[in-house]
Amino acid sequence: MAEATEIKIGDYVAAKKFGPLEHGFTGEVTKVYDNSVLVEIRDYDPADKTAVGDMNNRAVVRKSAAKITGHVADKN
């Protein structure tokens, strides 16, 4: 099944809690893989501060679990 909207580098996405994170978070896509994306975590619950730090402010999220919330304007 093809996705209606393809996730691209620079998109902002929201993701649900997983692993050491107890709350959902939002961030910017920095790399796109076949079935997942690497997200630079930008906004998260303060209770997850230690977990986010341990993850170097990055998380790999399944494309099916990432919801696009915005796009970065082209810088060309």
Side-chain angles (χ1 to χ4, degrees):
M1 179 201 291
E3 288 185 41
T5 305
E6 185 66 27
I7 299 175
K8 299 179 291 297
I9 293 174
D11 286 348
Y12 281 90
V13 296
K16 294 182 179 181
K17 65 179 183 169
F18 74 95
L21 300 173
E22 296 180 15
H23 304 88
F25 62 92
T26 61
E28 182 180 346
V29 175
T30 58
K31 186 161 178 118
V32 178
Y33 301 103
D34 289 336
N35 297 309
S36 58
V37 291
L38 179 63
V39 177
E40 180 80 26
I41 300 172
R42 305 284 183 170
D43 187 34
Y44 56 90
D45 189 283
D48 288 332
K49 182 176 183 175
T50 301
V52 170
D54 290 346
M55 296 168 58
N56 294 319
N57 289 28
R58 294 182 182 92
V60 176
V61 178
R62 289 179 312 200
K63 285 182 179 180
S64 62
K67 179 181 176 188
I68 297 175
T69 60
H71 306 278
V72 174
D74 282 340
K75 297 179 181 178
N76 295 337

